[in-house]
Amino acid sequence: MAYRLYTIIMAWILSVSTMAEEYSMPFVFVEYNCENFFDCLHDTLKNDYEFLPESKHAWSPSRYYKKTNDIARAIQQCGEMQEGDYHLPDIVALCEVENDSVLHKLTRRSALKGVGYRYIMTDSPDQRGIDVAMLYNPLTFRVFQHYSIRITPINRSHATRDVLYIKGKGRTADTLHIFIVHAPSRSGGVKKSEAYRTHVANRVIESVDSIRNISPDAPIIVAGDMNDYSNNRSIKKYIEAGLYEASLNAIGRNLLTTGVRGTYRYRGNWESLDHIMLSPTLLARVSSCYILDSPWLLEEDKTWGGMKPRRTYLGPVYNKGTSDHLPLVLIMEL
């Protein structure tokens, strides 16, 4: 009798184990440049005059509210699985956010208010007050440690954004190491500004190597607006350091109707300034990586034809859009 009971219990345990092996939960990671996500109040320590009610942009509470909810809507749609299922993004890496105020409004006063997202952000010396941040679902990702990595200016350049580092654990036993980057812009010309972006890449790689010295197979994510394309020097630095560009071939989810082949469009050409790079440990778990190209995030490109991201402003003219970048969505099976 005891032997028979033992046999039944063991058979049940084996069947449950088999089911667990066959069933994996998606882990959704999003990278999104929000393009000038400012509040309407002046920070006395920053040059944020461009986005105040009395500025030429006439940045008003109603426009701020609309942009906040549009960003929330985009994040929600990043959770729509291609199979028809839905899985809210576990982590959202954000670029071009001003301060704690806009993140509080995004997570507590927008369409995301019922989700329970928590956030971490940098406090950079950037002159305009631009920072990077990470939203995370505390039910699916537990943060152990986080800090900002200050980028020392070179060649008398202006101070740039800090890199945000986060160490935490998802639903697996693996500890994730995440770096969120918003590299210096191409202002002044690509070649002239290239050294600044390469400098940021070298600093991030130093931190990556420090982690690998302790744990060679550590799962690592480097994501953000690198302000460079895949064939540029700074991105090649990451690849040479042993990271893989999971977003290299990402295209629009609705490619056939939108024609989207990058997160950013310049003079009629789709390219990706946004990137998600992974260590080999995580690359093996990627099931898909695509660009969210919902029609409401786009508009007709009247100069070059086709579609382009619908940005908030066209010069000083309010364009009612969300961002000049589109979100990158990475789905891993854990």
Side-chain angles (χ1 to χ4, degrees):
M1 190 71 171
Y3 176 78
R4 184 179 300 174
L5 181 60
Y6 170 80
T7 302
I8 294 173
I9 292 174
M10 287 303 298
W12 177 79
I13 291 174
L14 288 172
S15 66
V16 170
S17 299
T18 301
M19 289 172 62
E21 289 177 1
E22 291 176 351
Y23 180 73
S24 59
M25 286 288 288
F27 189 87
V28 181
F29 183 98
V30 174
E31 186 279 333
Y32 191 23
N33 182 321
C34 302
E35 191 202 14
N36 295 321
F37 190 18
F38 282 84
D39 62 18
C40 300
L41 302 175
H42 175 51
D43 184 337
T44 56
L45 300 176
K46 300 295 182 180
N47 181 14
D48 60 357
Y49 298 103
E50 190 178 6
F51 286 90
L52 295 175
E54 61 272 20
S55 71
K56 64 179 181 180
H57 280 141
W59 186 237
S60 64
S62 62
R63 292 178 177 182
Y64 171 40
Y65 179 78
K66 180 184 183 302
K67 186 177 179 80
T68 302
N69 274 288
D70 284 348
I71 293 171
R73 181 184 176 190
I75 291 172
Q76 286 180 324
Q77 290 189 350
C78 288
E80 296 174 354
M81 302 288 102
Q82 293 184 347
E83 298 78 13
D85 297 329
Y86 185 83
H87 183 89
L88 195 71
D90 299 279
I91 290 177
V92 184
L94 298 175
C95 295
E96 287 201 28
V97 294
E98 184 187 17
N99 52 33
D100 179 86
S101 176
V102 298
L103 289 178
H104 179 80
K105 192 173 186 70
L106 178 63
T107 57
R108 298 293 180 268
R109 296 289 183 271
S110 74
L112 295 176
K113 64 183 179 181
V115 175
Y117 275 130
R118 296 179 185 174
Y119 59 85
I120 301 166
M121 74 177 303
T122 57
D123 185 12
S124 303
D126 179 83
Q127 292 183 328
R128 297 176 64 231
I130 288 294
D131 281 291
V132 298
M134 186 184 86
L135 307 185
Y136 67 97
N137 184 342
L139 298 177
T140 60
F141 186 77
R142 185 158 48 113
V143 174
F144 295 155
Q145 182 185 22
H146 66 87
Y147 54 79
S148 297
I149 300 173
R150 185 60 47 91
I151 306 298
T152 305
I154 60 170
N155 303 332
R156 298 182 179 180
S157 62
H158 294 300
T160 189
R161 277 80 58 172
D162 291 350
V163 175
L164 180 59
Y165 167 73
I166 306 99
K167 177 182 179 181
K169 185 175 290 187
R171 286 182 294 268
T172 68
D174 295 327
T175 297
L176 288 176
H177 302 269
I178 302 169
F179 296 86
I180 301 176
V181 183
H182 185 189
S185 74
R186 297 182 155 208
S187 177
V190 177
K191 289 297 182 182
K192 186 177 179 179
S193 60
E194 182 181 56
Y196 305 129
R197 293 184 293 280
T198 303
H199 177 57
V200 171
N202 287 335
R203 180 64 187 87
V204 173
I205 291 167
E206 285 180 12
S207 295
V208 169
D209 287 343
S210 296
I211 294 169
R212 285 175 163 171
N213 286 337
I214 300 171
S215 178
D217 296 323
I220 298 170
I221 302 175
V222 178
D225 178 1
M226 309 299 183
N227 269 312
D228 264 335
Y229 303 134
S230 297
N231 61 349
N232 291 133
R233 185 181 173 191
S234 69
I235 305 303
K236 289 180 179 179
K237 284 282 184 179
Y238 290 109
I239 306 306
E240 291 167 2
L243 296 174
Y244 294 84
E245 189 177 356
S247 57
L248 178 62
N249 297 313
I251 57 176
R253 183 173 175 177
N254 304 302
L255 174 68
L256 295 179
T257 55
T258 64
V260 169
R261 293 185 177 275
T263 60
Y264 185 81
R265 200 170 198 233
Y266 180 67
R267 294 184 177 180
N269 295 316
W270 284 106
E271 296 283 358
S272 286
L273 297 173
D274 306 271
H275 304 267
I276 301 176
M277 286 168 282
L278 306 176
S279 60
T281 309
L282 289 178
L283 187 68
R285 304 180 187 178
V286 173
S287 59
S288 65
C289 186
Y290 65 89
I291 300 164
L292 182 71
D293 57 346
S294 300
W296 66 275
L297 289 171
L298 303 166
E299 66 178 347
E300 181 185 358
D301 190 334
K302 296 181 180 178
T303 302
W304 302 96
M307 305 295 288
K308 65 179 181 179
R310 185 173 185 176
R311 60 190 309 169
T312 308
Y313 282 89
L314 292 173
V317 179
Y318 182 54
N319 194 46
K320 301 181 181 179
T322 309
S323 175
D324 58 347
H325 290 243
L326 295 173
L328 264 179
V329 184
L330 175 75
I331 302 176
M332 296 182 288
E333 296 295 335
L334 302 181

